[in-house]
């Protein structure tokens, strides 16, 4: 027969051993659960990082597109301004020449009006004045062209505004 105290000690040891084994197994289960949870969280973090990177790349593309459009509009505007400035300088020179010619013609008309020969000269002067008037009409036509250039300038600025709006719309979406 086995001593009851020994039985009790063996039973206690078996119980303690079972408890210890259960404790270790539950620890393993908890570690596995934690590892699965961390893996899931890592996948979520990686997905969010990828989405953030795509958003940054989209914004960068939008900024590059806007910069190119802005550079093109700036170049077009600069070219148009140079053409307008050249046209203004040429118009100013023609106007000064016309004013000088008109002044000279007026002075000559006054001097020639007193004699009969002045009548012939006056007829010639009239022809020249008619030519000057025709040139003046051409100048008015040129000024109409200047207005068209200004309208083109306005259209270029509208294009710049459109490019800016597209950029702002892309930023608002993100």
């Amino acid at each position: 027969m086995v001593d009851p105290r020994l039985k009790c000690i063996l039973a206690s040891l078996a119980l303690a051993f079972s408890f210890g084994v259960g404790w270790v197994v539950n620890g393993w289960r908890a570690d596995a659960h934690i590892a699965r949870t961390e893996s899931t969280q890592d996948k979520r973090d990686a997905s969010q990082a990828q989405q953030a990177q795509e958003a940054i790349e989209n914004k960068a593309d939008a900024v590059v597109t806007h910069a190119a459009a802005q550079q093109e509009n700036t170049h077009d505007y600069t070219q148009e301004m140079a053409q307008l400035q050249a046209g203004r300088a040429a118009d100013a020179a023609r106007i000064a020449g016309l004013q000088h010619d008109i002044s000279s013609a007026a002075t000559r008309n006054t001097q020639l009006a007193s004699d009969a020969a002045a009548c012939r000269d006056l007829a010639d002067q009239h022809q020249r004045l008619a030519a000057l008037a025709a040139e003046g009409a051409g100048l008015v036509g040129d000024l109409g062209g200047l207005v068209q250039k200004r309208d083109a300038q306005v259209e270029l600025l509208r294009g710049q505004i459109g490019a800016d709006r597209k950029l702002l719309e892309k930023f608002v979406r993100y």
Side-chain angles (χ1 to χ4, degrees), residues 1 12 24 62 86-87 95 111 119-120 145:
M1 275 216 18
S12 295
V24 169
I95 289 170
Q111 293 170 351
C119 290
R120 288 187 305 273

Side-chain angles (χ1 to χ4, degrees), residues 12-168:
S12 295
L13 282 176
L15 184 62
F17 179 73
S18 296
F19 179 75
V21 168
W23 185 269
V24 169
V25 169
N26 281 336
W28 290 342
R29 285 182 187 159
D31 288 345
H33 179 69
I34 290 170
R36 282 192 301 270
T37 303
E38 286 176 350
S39 173
T40 302
Q41 183 63 38
D42 288 345
K43 287 178 184 176
R44 266 192 241 125
D45 290 346
S47 175
Q48 288 175 349
Q50 184 177 3
Q51 289 173 352
Q53 182 179 357
E54 288 173 3
I56 289 170
E57 288 173 358
N58 287 340
K59 285 181 183 178
D61 288 343
V63 169
V64 167
T65 301
H66 175 262
Q70 187 173 14
Q71 184 177 12
E72 184 177 324
N73 281 335
T74 301
H75 175 73
D76 292 345
Y77 178 76
T78 303
Q79 294 294 331
E80 190 67 30
M81 288 305 295
Q83 290 175 355
L84 289 174
Q85 187 63 30
R88 282 188 206 119
D91 290 344
R94 275 186 279 180
I95 289 170
L98 288 173
Q99 287 173 337
H100 176 71
D101 290 345
I102 289 171
S103 175
S104 297
T107 302
R108 277 186 301 237
N109 284 340
T110 304
Q111 293 170 351
L112 297 175
S114 61
D115 61 6
C119 290
R120 288 187 305 273
D121 288 339
L122 190 58
D124 292 340
Q125 189 65 23
H126 183 270
Q127 279 184 324
R128 280 182 262 168
L129 283 175
L132 288 174
E135 187 176 342
L139 181 59
V140 168
D142 289 342
L143 291 175
L146 185 61
V147 169
Q148 288 176 341
K149 288 177 184 177
R150 188 219 51 216
D151 290 345
Q153 217 177 6
V154 168
E155 284 301 317
L156 289 172
L157 290 172
R158 283 184 181 167
Q160 181 63 43
I161 290 169
D164 288 345
R165 284 182 179 162
K166 285 180 185 177
L167 176 66
L168 288 174

